Amino acid sequence: MELISPLIENYIAQFTSPEPIELAEVNKDTAAKHPLAHMISGHVQGQFLSMICAMLKPKYVLEIGTFTGYSALCMQRTLPIDGMIHTIEIRPEDADTAAENFSKLNANKQITLHVGNAKEIINQLPYQWDLVFIDADKTGYIDYYEMVVPLLAKEGIIIADNVLFHGQVLEEPLKGKNAKAVHAFNQHVQEDPRTEQVMLSIRDGLTIIKKK
């Protein structure tokens, strides 16, 4: 389902700050080499993440789902000098690509890449998170959410990606495990008395969540 007119998306991109050259290269390389290149955050969403980091000034950022490293690099651009991103990727081949991209852009001092199952890794990290970006397997979203809500810093926020899941969340009946999982996550967040949230129609849908 086409959620937003391509003309509107092009207009938005035109009037968003230009994609930095080094990030454009990561974007272009992913598009050329990866069969699932559509999973990359991309220019507008990447700029949104950069702006959030610039405003929030997080010291500790957790990213669940690294892919080829584009979104982590977007956040790292505006991270404070003492800021650190811990990003988790379960697929070794994507982690290798991300590690190469982090190295090329000299981002290793602020980005730590973990390879493996996020559900096993998160509790090994001794931090309170100022910002959490969830962009991993959709069937795990509720579990990730429940793991990180208690670990949020006082003013910390969670950003969950793909909360519209290509518009499939609007289908009746819901079809496919991912659409069902995303809809269940959306309901779960809405019904959680600990948090409040706003859903945005940026790209494939983003929800910003914070503790009350």
Side-chain angles (χ1 to χ4, degrees):
M1 179 183 294
E2 190 175 279
L3 294 175
I4 303 175
S5 163
L7 294 176
I8 291 293
E9 289 193 333
N10 289 337
Y11 188 86
I12 290 170
Q14 179 183 351
F15 287 96
T16 294
S17 295
E19 188 177 32
I21 294 174
E22 64 274 14
L23 290 177
E25 286 298 319
V26 174
N27 203 345
K28 182 179 177 181
D29 191 61
T30 300
K33 297 178 180 178
H34 203 294
L36 299 175
H38 65 277
M39 290 170 50
I40 200 167
S41 287
H43 169 209
V44 172
Q45 184 171 307
Q47 180 66 10
F48 174 81
L49 293 172
S50 291
M51 294 283 278
I52 289 291
C53 276
M55 292 185 286
L56 196 62
K57 296 178 173 59
K59 184 170 183 180
Y60 296 114
V61 177
L62 174 65
E63 179 181 56
I64 307 173
T66 314
F67 195 43
T68 59
Y70 184 90
S71 50
L73 288 166
C74 288
M75 292 187 285
Q76 186 265 337
R77 285 184 63 242
T78 54
L79 208 60
I81 293 174
D82 63 346
M84 176 62 69
I85 297 171
H86 286 264
T87 183
I88 306 170
E89 176 54 53
I90 196 169
R91 294 180 293 263
E93 60 275 18
D94 287 342
D96 288 344
T97 301
E100 183 179 343
N101 287 329
F102 297 156
S103 180
K104 283 181 182 177
L105 273 64
N106 298 313
N108 290 325
K109 289 183 179 180
Q110 288 189 292
I111 301 178
T112 299
L113 174 62
H114 304 268
V115 184
N117 190 325
K119 294 175 186 177
E120 298 173 359
I121 293 171
I122 290 170
N123 287 333
Q124 299 175 15
L125 303 175
Y127 304 110
Q128 281 196 310
W129 304 106
D130 301 298
L131 172 61
V132 178
F133 181 44
I134 304 175
D135 186 15
D137 59 297
K138 310 313 164 194
T139 57
Y141 266 36
I142 291 177
D143 289 337
Y144 299 138
Y145 173 82
E146 286 298 328
M147 291 183 76
V148 300
V149 166
L151 302 176
L152 281 180
K154 184 178 180 181
E155 301 297 327
I157 67 169
I158 300 168
I159 300 176
D161 196 9
N162 304 115
V163 293
L164 297 177
F165 202 71
H166 317 300
Q168 293 177 29
V169 292
L170 301 177
E171 294 178 352
E172 294 185 9
L174 285 170
K175 300 173 185 177
K177 65 177 184 178
N178 288 325
K180 291 178 181 178
V182 169
H183 183 65
F185 169 76
N186 293 338
Q187 289 182 316
H188 185 81
V189 174
Q190 183 186 42
E191 295 167 2
D192 188 351
R194 299 170 296 174
T195 59
E196 57 185 352
Q197 71 285 334
V198 59
M199 184 180 288
L200 306 173
S201 57
I202 295 174
R203 200 163 177 265
D204 196 31
L206 293 172
T207 296
I208 303 176
I209 305 160
K210 76 176 189 68
K211 284 185 179 179
K212 290 182 179 177

